[in-house]
Amino acid sequence: MYFYERVLAPELEVSGVKVHSFTVVEDFEAGRWDYELVLMQAQKGRRFLNGRLEISFSVSDQQELKRISLKELSDKVPSGFKFRYFQTIKGTFKLPANITVDEVIIDLKVKGDRWYKAQQLEQRYDWRALIEKDAADFTEFDKPVPAGN
C-alpha cells in the first residue's frame, strides 16, 4: 500500500529530506565497520537541498549510557549534504573494544528558504537489527519508529 500511495499520490508525501536507507557491515580483516547512508527528497518539487548531518551512537560503557559522535570514531566524517534527488554517503569507523552499541542516531537539519520549510529529522536504528539483518532489506519501507514515540 505504501508503495502505491507514493506513486499515485505523491502530494501526500512530506517535502524535504528523509533517510532512505542506512546499512552497517563489519570488515573483519580491517577491524572496522563500513556504513552507507542514502538520503533522498520527496518526489514533488525537487530543488537542491542542503543541510547538516550528524551520526552518533548510543552506547553502554561499563554500565553507563552515553552518546558518541561518529567524529570520535573516524577520520573522515561528512558534516553536511547537498543534493537534488538523492545522495549516498559512505565511510568507515572503528569501535572501541569496551563499549556496546545500542542505537545509531542520524540527525539531519535543513535551513528554511523560499522553497522549503526548515526541517529537523532524527532517525534511530537499533544496532542489533542493523548488524543481523541483510543490508539490502533495511530501507525506508521498514519504517523505523521516529524518536519521541
Side-chain angles (χ1 to χ4, degrees):
M1 182 71 170
Y2 177 71
F3 172 77
Y4 292 108
E5 188 176 271
R6 285 185 55 209
V7 172
L8 297 175
E11 67 276 0
L12 298 177
E13 199 170 2
V14 177
S15 64
V17 66
K18 66 182 179 178
V19 177
H20 173 68
S21 65
F22 181 73
T23 57
V24 177
V25 178
E26 187 172 14
D27 185 344
F28 292 105
E29 293 176 7
R32 68 175 191 227
W33 292 86
D34 299 324
Y35 69 90
E36 179 178 281
L37 171 65
V38 180
L39 303 176
M40 64 181 285
Q41 274 195 73
Q43 291 183 350
K44 192 173 181 180
R46 293 180 181 156
R47 299 192 182 277
F48 275 99
L49 181 70
N50 60 13
R52 308 288 305 156
L53 162 70
E54 184 178 346
I55 300 173
S56 58
F57 301 89
S58 174
V59 300
S60 300
D61 182 12
Q62 300 172 355
Q63 306 300 343
E64 181 184 345
L65 284 173
K66 59 183 178 179
R67 195 166 170 167
I68 297 177
S69 174
L70 182 62
K71 294 174 185 175
E72 298 175 42
L73 305 174
S74 178
D75 295 334
K76 294 182 180 179
V77 179
S79 61
F81 55 88
K82 182 177 181 178
F83 64 94
R84 184 169 184 171
Y85 299 103
F86 69 93
Q87 183 174 3
T88 301
I89 299 168
K90 295 180 181 183
T92 63
F93 61 91
K94 290 187 179 189
L95 288 174
N98 61 343
I99 66 169
T100 303
V101 178
D102 294 326
E103 289 182 312
V104 178
I105 304 160
I106 301 171
D107 289 312
L108 305 172
K109 294 180 182 165
V110 177
K111 286 186 176 181
D113 61 17
R114 67 184 208 195
W115 293 290
Y116 293 108
K117 292 181 181 178
Q119 182 182 9
Q120 185 169 345
L121 175 72
E122 180 182 271
Q123 192 81 38
R124 291 177 176 257
Y125 293 94
D126 182 74
W127 179 255
R128 288 179 300 251
L130 283 173
I131 62 174
E132 292 174 2
K133 194 169 186 179
D134 184 83
D137 292 339
F138 206 72
T139 67
E140 68 174 319
F141 303 111
D142 290 323
K143 290 202 169 216
V145 177
N149 289 345

